[in-house]
Amino acid sequence: MKVLAIESFGAFLGRKGDRIVIKKKKEKLAEIPAGNIDLIKLSVRGVSASMDAIYLALKYNIPIVLTNKNGKPLGVVLPFTYRGLVNVRKRQFEAQDSPIGVKIAKALVYAKIANQAQLIYVLARTWKKLSSDSKAALMGARNSMLDYLKKLDKIRGESCEEVREQLMSIEARAAQHYWHAFSRLTPKELEFHERVKKGACDVVNVMLNYGYAILATDVWLSILKAGLDPWAGFLHANSQRRPGMVYDLMEPFRAPIVDKTILHLVSLKKGNLQSYLQDCRLTPEGRSLVAEAVIERLRNQIRSGGRRLTFSDIILLHARRIALRLANKRPYYKPFLWKG
Amino acid sequence: MKVLAIESFGAFLGRKGDRIVIKKKKEKLAEIPAGNIDLIKLSVRGVSASMDAIYLALKYNIPIVLTNKNGKPLGVVLPFTYRGLVNVRKRQFEAQDSPIGVKIAKALVYAKIANQAQLIYVLARTWKKLSSDSKAALMGARNSMLDYLKKLDKIRGESCEEVREQLMSIEARAAQHYWHAFSRLTPKELEFHERVKKGACDVVNVMLNYGYAILATDVWLSILKAGLDPWAGFLHANSQRRPGMVYDLMEPFRAPIVDKTILHLVSLKKGNLQSYLQDCRLTPEGRSLVAEAVIERLRNQIRSGGRRLTFSDIILLHARRIALRLANKRPYYKPFLWKG
């Protein structure tokens, strides 16, 4: 996925024929054929655009995301004629109350745990200066997580609601092993003891939360492109507070995209990571650090099904596969299992 | 509804604190508190905007529509955290297969025919230089249309699919009377013989089609604001080609908003209206003429339920009422009956 991100204060997005032109103080910085762009990100601080350029993007079906200066999504420009795959969405809502939704929810939890286990396995083998104690603890955690996959397999149900609690419980218990193993890889002075979603005040959790928000952008756009309703999830119950399908599809990608990236930052910066936190929030430098690293990771190509694809491509592929499953154009949905 | 429409070539939409600032060649044209704006329309020809101003609009939950220079919608900016009323959409899809959807579809067809009949009635009494023959023909058409309302009343069904053909047939037969009466009010030289949706080549039909496209913008936005899925209709079947719920909700508003406006233009311009057509398309002047007149009409206040509301307000009110009916927060949906 080719992303055009315009974040520089004073930059202007213009149009010249079928090309996007980027200027700053009347100087031309770049000129790119619209056909070569998959996604445009515009920072809301100090960036402007001609509506004509926005229109060109709409014509080429290029999503435009408005972001804060760190790439966190604030808004999205959608074409008015956006072709909704309305029957796919109908099936999506129906599947919430059928075994189809149950199976997709199970597949996503499966991939989440499997990919977490895979990350722990990779780290146990490659992490520098790991004591044999720690290595054994990591492999133990990994094995416990793989055990939960077997438990998961046995769950059956006629509606997502019926199995939600069981799935969530398995996911949570596997997560305890995962985060415990994860904490062994972070220096003591960073005080990462457990995973905290809201109100986190240690730098690792705060960075994870920020990274997940960036991942959510890509997932959200992919879900829109696939014609799904972002709010109607299988694993996550319908709620006005959060887009269930976005949270569902994110699950398998959290460990390989965000967690691995944050651990890499931890290993680079060690105790100094602390300096990116102020009053339980990331400093501007901290936000840039995480945003750049996660976006870089999203643009990483990996080998998948014989092809070389970026993580962004793979997320879109999986949104489309869920849509195809719901439209009954595939007999099952196979989630993303990371080989990393 | 307070609409800020920026169509002037060279105009720039900026931000100053919590106010939207409009500039042209560095000269300030206007400065409006964001809280005073309900909708921003930006032409894609020669207009630019700072993303900061767009962000201010997002924060104030102001939809931003990108239009061509005549106000026809091309794209829409939506906040990323757009709170989807996901359970309302679930009910919307379910209602397609239940008597709830059947009743809403019936209510909308009822209001469409009733409002068409009302327009004919009003015109029979007020249209200048109407022969007594024509007057009698109009009243006759009106009575035939009212008869169809009784036929409509008898339709029962368990799903929209079951009754769709019957509803469409009644609507089509009533429409024949309506458009025949309508044609009596257009000068012979305009050659309006019947209603043509696609490939129309007479100025009245071409203007009607253009007017409906503008009405569709307001309806579409209202449906999004109400949290409904624009593509899932009750009267109109699910289709990738067209947003069924938009077409559904438009029905009662076509006659009082668009048809009446076009007839008004006909009475003003008479045979000269022909000059706005070239190769079966409206000239730029023709498009402006229709766009300005329809938008003006949408901002017209009328008395409704003891309040003074614009037609735009009423459209939003009805989108919300359909959502409330689907969420089971109202025992029935009462459509918009124009007293005009």
Side-chain angles (χ1 to χ4, degrees), chain A residues 143-154:
Chain A
N143 290 335
S144 303
M145 293 164 75
L146 295 181
D147 284 344
Y148 281 110
L149 295 182
K150 292 174 205 153
K151 289 207 174 81
L152 197 61
D153 228 24
K154 290 183 194 132

Side-chain angles (χ1 to χ4, degrees), chain B residues 157-178:
Chain B
E158 296 298 313
S159 82
C160 294
E161 209 186 327
E162 191 186 330
V163 299
R164 184 165 292 130
E165 218 174 298
Q166 296 173 69
L167 292 180
M168 289 288 194
S169 149
I170 287 179
E171 189 251 304
R173 284 183 287 160
Q176 278 190 346
H177 292 279
Y178 174 68

Side-chain angles (χ1 to χ4, degrees), chain B residues 86-139:
Chain B
V86 57
N87 274 323
V88 167
R89 288 199 293 286
K90 183 167 191 165
R91 297 288 103 77
Q92 185 183 355
F93 283 105
E94 284 171 0
Q96 293 185 325
D97 304 317
S98 90
I100 294 175
V102 172
K103 282 180 193 159
I104 294 173
K106 268 175 65 174
L108 292 167
V109 178
Y110 187 99
K112 176 184 193 169
I113 298 174
N115 294 349
Q116 286 175 331
Q118 182 65 11
L119 178 57
I120 295 301
Y121 175 71
V122 168
L123 295 172
R125 292 193 316 168
T126 60
W127 200 252
K128 278 167 193 160
K129 293 186 195 161
L130 206 59
S131 70
S132 56
D133 256 21
S134 283
K135 198 171 271 191
L138 292 189
M139 294 310 269

Side-chain angles (χ1 to χ4, degrees), chain B residues 59-99:
Chain B
K59 280 209 298 185
Y60 274 84
N61 208 12
I62 305 165
I64 300 160
V65 179
L66 308 180
T67 67
N68 70 13
K69 64 181 167 182
N70 300 298
K72 229 178 147 177
L74 301 170
V76 58
V77 187
L78 294 176
F80 222 79
T81 52
Y82 203 69
R83 293 278 161 101
L85 301 168
V86 57
N87 274 323
V88 167
R89 288 199 293 286
K90 183 167 191 165
R91 297 288 103 77
Q92 185 183 355
F93 283 105
E94 284 171 0
Q96 293 185 325
D97 304 317
S98 90

Side-chain angles (χ1 to χ4, degrees), chain B residues 4-288:
Chain B
L4 177 63
I6 304 181
E7 285 148 9
S8 160
F9 201 93
F12 180 83
L13 188 85
R15 171 182 180 173
K16 193 173 159 190
D18 270 8
R19 289 191 295 275
I20 292 287
V21 179
I22 302 155
K23 288 182 187 167
K24 193 168 170 177
K25 290 183 182 162
K26 304 206 170 169
E27 192 195 336
K28 197 201 289 178
L29 298 181
E31 190 174 315
I32 309 158
N36 289 358
I37 304 169
D38 291 314
L39 172 66
I40 295 175
K41 289 192 181 187
L42 302 177
S43 160
V44 297
R45 295 279 165 226
V47 171
S48 10
S50 84
M51 292 306 112
D52 211 13
I54 304 280
Y55 179 46
L56 180 65
L58 286 175
K59 280 209 298 185
Y60 274 84
N61 208 12
I62 305 165
I64 300 160
V65 179
L66 308 180
T67 67
N68 70 13
K69 64 181 167 182
N70 300 298
K72 229 178 147 177
L74 301 170
V76 58
V77 187
L78 294 176
F80 222 79
T81 52
Y82 203 69
R83 293 278 161 101
L85 301 168
V86 57
N87 274 323
V88 167
R89 288 199 293 286
K90 183 167 191 165
R91 297 288 103 77
Q92 185 183 355
F93 283 105
E94 284 171 0
Q96 293 185 325
D97 304 317
S98 90
I100 294 175
V102 172
K103 282 180 193 159
I104 294 173
K106 268 175 65 174
L108 292 167
V109 178
Y110 187 99
K112 176 184 193 169
I113 298 174
N115 294 349
Q116 286 175 331
Q118 182 65 11
L119 178 57
I120 295 301
Y121 175 71
V122 168
L123 295 172
R125 292 193 316 168
T126 60
W127 200 252
K128 278 167 193 160
K129 293 186 195 161
L130 206 59
S131 70
S132 56
D133 256 21
S134 283
K135 198 171 271 191
L138 292 189
M139 294 310 269
R142 181 211 178 209
N143 289 334
S144 303
M145 294 164 74
L146 296 181
D147 283 344
Y148 282 108
L149 295 182
K150 292 174 205 152
K151 289 206 174 79
L152 198 61
D153 228 24
K154 289 182 194 133
I155 293 178
R156 297 278 181 282
E158 296 298 313
S159 82
C160 294
E161 209 186 327
E162 191 186 330
V163 299
R164 184 165 292 130
E165 218 174 298
Q166 296 173 69
L167 292 180
M168 289 288 194
S169 149
I170 287 179
E171 189 251 304
R173 284 183 287 160
Q176 278 190 346
H177 292 279
Y178 174 68
W179 291 112
H180 189 69
F182 190 98
S183 75
R184 285 187 170 265
L185 303 166
T186 60
K188 274 213 178 82
E189 62 266 38
L190 293 184
E191 293 183 359
F192 178 86
H193 305 303
E194 55 174 354
R195 173 78 188 110
V196 181
K197 289 173 193 173
K198 269 199 168 173
C201 202
D202 64 282
V203 69
V204 176
N205 268 308
V206 172
M207 284 190 164
L208 284 169
N209 289 338
Y210 197 71
Y212 294 144
I214 293 165
L215 173 59
T217 318
D218 262 61
V219 173
W220 195 304
L221 282 171
S222 298
I223 284 170
L224 286 180
K225 278 204 153 187
L228 296 168
D229 189 310
W231 298 83
F234 301 125
L235 179 60
H236 294 87
N238 290 352
S239 147
Q240 269 182 250
R241 253 182 343 101
R242 60 182 187 185
M245 180 48 72
V246 175
Y247 278 77
D248 275 18
L249 183 56
M250 266 177 80
E251 294 294 16
F253 297 101
R254 289 173 184 264
I257 295 175
V258 178
D259 303 355
K260 186 168 189 288
T261 300
I262 302 299
L263 273 180
H264 182 66
L265 293 178
V266 166
S267 76
L268 279 179
K269 307 272 175 175
K270 300 209 173 63
N272 295 332
L273 212 60
Q274 204 76 60
S275 67
Y276 292 102
L277 195 73
Q278 211 160 39
D279 302 330
C280 300
R281 300 180 67 168
L282 290 179
T283 61
E285 295 74 27
R287 289 201 294 272
S288 300

